[in-house]
Amino acid sequence: MKRLALLAAFAAGISSAWAAETKDPVVLGQLLSHAKKEERREAAYQLQQLGPAAAPVVRQLVRALEDEDDQVWQRATMTLANIGPKATFAIPELIKQMGGERHRYAEQRSVRSAFALASIGEAARPALQQALQDDDEHRRWGAAHALGLMGNPSPKCVEGVMALLGDDEESVRREAEGTAVAFGEASVSSLRAMLESDSSTVRMGAANALRRMPSVAAPAMEAVRQALLRETDISAKMALLHSAAALGVDAEFLAPMVVEACAASEAEQEATFNILLGSASLADAVLPSLGLLLSCDDAATRRHAARLLGRMGDQAVDVAPALVEHLTSGLPEAEDEAAFQEALILIGPGILPALLTRLETLTPVALDDQKWVVETLSGLAPLALPTLEDALDEAAPAVACGVLRALPRQTRRNSELERRILPYLTNEDPRVRAAVVDAFTRMALPEKRWQRVLHEGLADPAPEVRIAAIRALENAPFPKAQRLAFLTEALSADEALVRLQAAQGLGALGEDAAPAVPTLLASTQGPSASEGYRLAVITTFGQMGAAAQEALDFLIASLDPAQSETIRVGSLRTLARLGASAKQALAQINPLLNQGSPEIRRAALAAYAAIENTPENLIPVLLEALKDPSPEVRAPVIAGLGNLGSDAMSAAPALVDLVASEPDRSAALDALREIRPQDVDLCLRLLESEDAGARLLACDRLGRLYDKKAIPALRNALRDRYSFVRRRAREALERIERGPRRRR
């Protein structure tokens, strides 16, 4: 027996090498029926390389088309294509294979079979014409595809393809259109006749095909024009419009219809753009009408007209003043403003004169109500920077302010731009000076220039300039101690907005801002300290972390019920960031665990967990919180228990109970996966859950506990409706029967 096996292996090796080395098509044809697929693949590959020389084995190749292996089938099909007209014997089987035979790669089989049939040539034409009427959509598609590849159609062939323009399958209809295009002039008269079909689908297909061959479809132009006038189906009408534009029907005739389509569905609106994209003369003809549509009562039509103008690019620059005028006077809806603004940006730098002219009529204060101007300039800035730089020469205050705000971030020093901007640092309008400081934060400045700009900005009498300078400090090349000094000093400003910006700036310094805690605390006293300011200071203390321990009494006092919920929640979040250093606050936090709004209870639990981080003290509190009526409160508690892992084993029963609760189920299962329950009875309870994920987890845990008590329940799980649960149950049973592995 051993000797026979060795001989078999030796013979297999010889046949494999033989297939790779021999060029004899007869030998290779015999190997196509070899028992091993590797041998059949190699033989098919070698035959494919032989091309027409493989003609003697056409019959063997036809049999190989029924091979279960995809590679053998593909190579056999391509070999028949290479053989060409001498492979006529294969026509019936290729027609059959062109139907896909319910194969998972049916489309690919149809494509390759059609190619082989087209390569065989005229002998395959009768069978292909008959296949145009086949019940199988893949076979109809393949027949149309093959005939298109062959060309030179007979009238009967053209007629058969035209019939497929009304096929039930869209893929077949699209292929019929492509085949009609491939037939070229031979199909024009039939397509022209199809424009009068009773079926809107056929009319649309005929129009699509004519559009794709404008060089030979000129005789159908008048027919397309007349079909447009009588068409009532919107999809067919859009196809006819597209075809008419491609064939050169005069733009004045088409323009009203294109404009009308702008008020149709989204699909027709998209088709409108494609039509205009292919015809510059038609686009010019519809521009005035699109400008009028910007005032339409219908919001969707207004926005589409704006988007269409934007997508037309600089061709629509003449309509830009109308877009600017609408934005200036105010639009009915916010979405209108976004669409009009985007249109201006897409039209491009050519709209800058209209924008700058508009800016000249404003004041810097008015820019706050006309934010779209700066936003539009910002969108254009990367493409129009030289024009914007030139606009800064002796500009009106509003122009300077708008351009400065719109300048993009510079990665390299631009000395010429610096030279143009610097004079505005002494402009009499504070908003212009603030815009200068803001613009310099986006430029690559040398340290000395930074020093000058920020010193002047921080000393400016106008609050808006100082606010801009404080914002700039975060990116300024100043030592942290100097930034701290500037910001601490700004806390004494008379203006509330300056103090607010300074407090937020200190937060960005993190623990390095600790020396400013006394000043921050003092700034929260008195009637001038608004709730918003106190909340900003509280948030800043949180950003400092444990370094803000000096503020602990203030934070505890902010938990008083007399304070607003916003202040109390902010204080709790900050105490959480102080962590263990805030243990003094636990007495005030405890009552809030089950009092007040869900937001307060949730923040109180987060603070408690961050401060009291020992599991033995924390878990009882979290277990109690699992009873909270709000799922918003329970969710972070469940996640917190999961983060404790096996330390939270005592919480497993409560979490199993929560699996039955829809809002808590996913989080509870995630937590249980981290905790990894060790109790067999608890896992058996979980196995009875209605949730498949819970049953999957139960099977996994039971398999790792090796307790034979679980065997009956796991055997029952082998009948679970879900295969992944059945598979995991089977694995668990195998584990239990095998027992735990012994460590060596």
Side-chain angles (χ1 to χ4, degrees):
M1 289 295 290
K2 193 172 184 180
R3 184 180 178 189
L4 286 172
L6 287 170
L7 285 171
F10 181 66
I14 288 176
S15 64
S16 179
W18 198 7
E21 293 177 8
T22 186
K23 300 298 181 184
D24 187 339
V26 176
V27 173
L28 292 169
Q30 292 171 348
L31 289 173
L32 285 175
S33 58
H34 198 282
K36 289 189 174 182
K37 66 180 179 183
E38 290 80 10
E39 299 300 330
R40 302 197 303 277
R41 287 178 180 178
E42 183 62 31
Y45 172 78
Q46 294 299 335
L47 284 166
Q48 188 178 349
Q49 306 310 304
L50 290 178
V57 293
V58 166
R59 291 177 182 272
Q60 290 93 323
L61 287 165
V62 169
R63 284 196 294 272
L65 293 180
E66 297 181 351
D67 199 294
E68 294 180 356
D69 185 75
D70 291 330
Q71 290 189 36
V72 175
W73 180 90
Q74 176 186 324
R75 291 168 181 174
T77 304
M78 290 299 98
T79 303
L80 289 168
N82 291 342
I83 293 170
K86 292 184 178 181
T88 54
F89 179 78
I91 291 172
E93 184 61 30
L94 285 169
I95 292 286
K96 176 185 173 185
Q97 293 292 327
M98 195 166 64
E101 296 304 294
R102 300 185 181 277
H103 196 272
R104 57 177 175 168
Y105 300 128
E107 291 83 1
Q108 281 299 312
R109 292 208 162 205
S110 185
V111 170
R112 293 180 188 278
S113 299
F115 176 74
L117 286 161
S119 300
I120 291 171
E122 287 301 317
R125 192 182 292 276
L128 287 168
Q129 288 180 192
Q130 186 176 353
L132 290 172
Q133 303 171 40
D134 199 276
D135 291 339
D136 184 277
E137 69 268 21
H138 296 297
R139 203 166 281 125
R140 296 196 302 277
W141 184 96
H145 184 69
L147 289 167
L149 292 175
M150 293 169 66
N152 300 317
S154 65
K156 184 178 179 181
C157 181
V158 174
E159 181 183 346
V161 171
M162 292 299 113
L164 293 184
L165 291 175
D167 198 275
D168 292 338
E169 295 293 328
E170 183 180 0
S171 61
V172 177
R173 296 197 299 271
R174 296 289 82 81
E175 190 59 32
E177 290 175 16
T179 300
V181 174
F183 288 169
E185 192 173 355
S187 67
V188 171
S189 60
S190 296
L191 289 170
R192 186 169 53 191
M194 291 295 105
L195 294 176
E196 298 182 12
S197 168
D198 292 337
S199 167
S200 61
T201 301
V202 172
R203 297 195 300 273
M204 182 166 60
N208 286 336
L210 289 167
R211 168 179 58 82
R212 292 167 60 184
M213 48 178 176
S215 60
V216 298
M221 184 189 297
E222 184 57 30
V224 170
R225 183 186 177 107
Q226 294 302 318
L228 256 177
L229 292 172
R230 62 176 179 267
E231 186 57 69
T232 57
D233 180 85
I234 186 64
S235 297
K237 190 164 190 174
M238 293 308 301
L240 285 163
L241 265 174
H242 209 161
S243 180
L247 295 179
V249 173
D250 54 293
E252 290 184 6
F253 172 77
L254 295 177
M257 300 181 190
V258 172
V259 173
E260 182 185 354
C262 287
S265 71
E266 188 174 340
E268 277 67 53
Q269 291 172 357
E270 184 65 24
T272 306
F273 170 69
N274 291 329
I275 293 169
L276 295 177
L277 193 64
S279 174
S281 60
L282 182 56
D284 286 336
V286 302
L287 271 176
S289 298
L290 288 176
L292 293 175
L293 284 180
L294 297 174
S295 305
C296 177
D297 291 336
D298 180 68
T301 302
R302 286 195 306 270
R303 291 167 201 158
H304 178 64
R307 293 189 189 103
L308 203 53
L309 288 166
R311 294 174 73 177
M312 291 170 71
D314 58 4
Q315 192 172 2
V317 72
D318 291 340
V319 188
L323 287 162
V324 170
E325 184 58 36
H326 283 292
L327 283 162
T328 302
S329 58
L331 290 158
E333 300 177 29
E335 289 184 35
D336 288 349
E337 183 170 310
F340 281 42
Q341 200 174 310
E342 182 182 5
L344 284 172
I345 294 170
L346 290 174
I347 291 171
I351 69 157
L352 279 176
L355 273 182
L356 295 174
T357 300
R358 175 58 192 158
L359 272 173
E360 288 175 355
T361 67
L362 301 174
T363 64
V365 174
L367 274 180
D368 292 340
D369 296 324
Q370 300 278 319
K371 291 180 180 177
W372 66 269
V373 181
V374 176
E375 290 170 356
T376 305
L377 285 171
S378 297
L380 292 166
L383 296 175
L385 188 57
T387 306
L388 291 178
E389 290 179 8
D390 291 342
L392 287 172
D393 289 337
E394 300 181 1
V399 174
C401 195
V403 171
L404 288 167
R405 291 181 185 178
L407 289 174
R409 184 169 294 281
Q410 310 277 314
T411 56
R412 295 182 179 180
R413 188 177 183 188
N414 187 335
S415 300
E416 177 61 22
L417 184 57
E418 288 175 34
R419 181 191 65 76
R420 285 174 163 168
I421 292 176
L422 270 176
Y424 291 102
L425 196 57
T426 56
N427 190 279
E428 63 180 15
D429 193 304
R431 291 177 182 269
V432 175
R433 301 198 300 275
V436 171
V437 175
D438 183 57
F440 275 133
T441 64
R442 300 190 298 279
M443 296 178 65
L445 295 182
E447 188 172 340
K448 286 185 178 179
R449 181 61 53 82
W450 261 113
Q451 296 269 356
R452 175 188 166 185
V453 170
L454 288 180
H455 275 293
E456 291 188 25
L458 291 165
D460 196 287
E464 52 263 62
V465 183
R466 277 179 282 146
I467 288 171
I470 290 169
R471 287 176 182 155
L473 274 173
E474 187 174 347
N475 298 315
F478 288 175
K480 285 186 177 180
Q482 194 170 358
R483 289 162 60 189
L484 177 62
F486 282 136
L487 292 170
T488 305
E489 183 180 352
L491 291 174
S492 304
D494 293 333
E495 299 87 0
L497 285 175
V498 176
R499 297 197 302 274
L500 177 63
Q501 194 66 51
Q504 292 171 340
L506 285 165
L509 291 176
E511 62 182 20
D512 292 322
V517 170
T519 311
L520 280 166
L521 288 170
S523 70
T524 63
Q525 305 305 309
S528 62
S530 66
E531 180 177 302
Y533 177 74
R534 284 187 289 120
L535 181 61
V537 171
I538 289 169
T539 303
T540 294
F541 289 147
Q543 291 171 287
M544 293 181 195
Q549 192 171 7
E550 191 177 346
L552 193 54
D553 290 340
F554 168 75
L555 294 169
I556 291 171
S558 298
L559 298 178
D560 190 280
Q563 299 290 339
S564 71
E565 180 172 319
T566 303
I567 292 293
R568 296 165 78 197
V569 170
S571 298
L572 286 165
R573 289 174 178 166
T574 292
L575 287 166
R577 298 187 71 168
L578 265 63
S581 65
K583 281 202 173 184
Q584 179 185 335
L586 286 177
Q588 284 73 29
I589 293 173
N590 265 322
L592 301 178
L593 295 174
N594 48 29
Q595 294 177 9
S597 68
E599 188 68 21
I600 286 180
R601 299 198 303 275
R602 180 172 175 157
L605 279 162
Y608 191 98
I611 296 168
E612 183 57 87
N613 51 16
T614 55
E616 59 270 20
N617 293 331
L618 180 58
I619 289 175
V621 174
L622 295 180
L623 282 172
E624 187 63 29
L626 286 178
K627 302 173 185 176
D628 194 283
S630 170
E632 294 178 4
V633 177
R634 296 194 302 271
V637 174
I638 296 170
L641 288 166
N643 291 336
L644 291 171
S646 59
D647 287 336
M649 194 67 69
S650 59
L655 291 170
V656 169
D657 290 339
L658 285 175
V659 170
S661 165
E662 177 65 31
D664 304 308
R665 182 175 300 139
S666 178
L669 286 172
D670 287 341
L672 285 166
R673 290 186 190 99
E674 298 299 324
I675 293 170
R676 300 179 182 179
Q678 302 294 316
D679 188 303
V680 174
D681 292 331
L682 192 64
C683 294
L684 288 171
R685 273 180 54 203
L686 197 60
L687 189 57
E688 296 173 358
S689 170
E690 294 181 0
D691 182 77
R695 300 196 299 276
L696 184 71
L697 175 60
C699 290
D700 182 70
R701 292 308 309 150
L702 288 167
R704 297 176 189 279
L705 295 176
Y706 303 103
D707 194 320
K708 293 187 178 182
K709 183 168 66 172
I711 289 177
L714 287 169
R715 284 178 177 165
N716 189 52
L718 294 174
R719 297 191 294 273
D720 196 280
R721 61 181 294 194
Y722 293 106
S723 61
F724 56 87
V725 177
R726 299 195 299 270
R727 184 169 58 251
R728 194 60 58 87
R730 186 161 46 256
E731 292 170 358
L733 285 167
E734 290 171 358
R735 276 177 170 271
I736 293 172
E737 291 167 1
R738 186 174 62 240
R741 293 180 180 177
R742 294 180 180 178
R743 293 184 180 178
R744 295 182 180 180

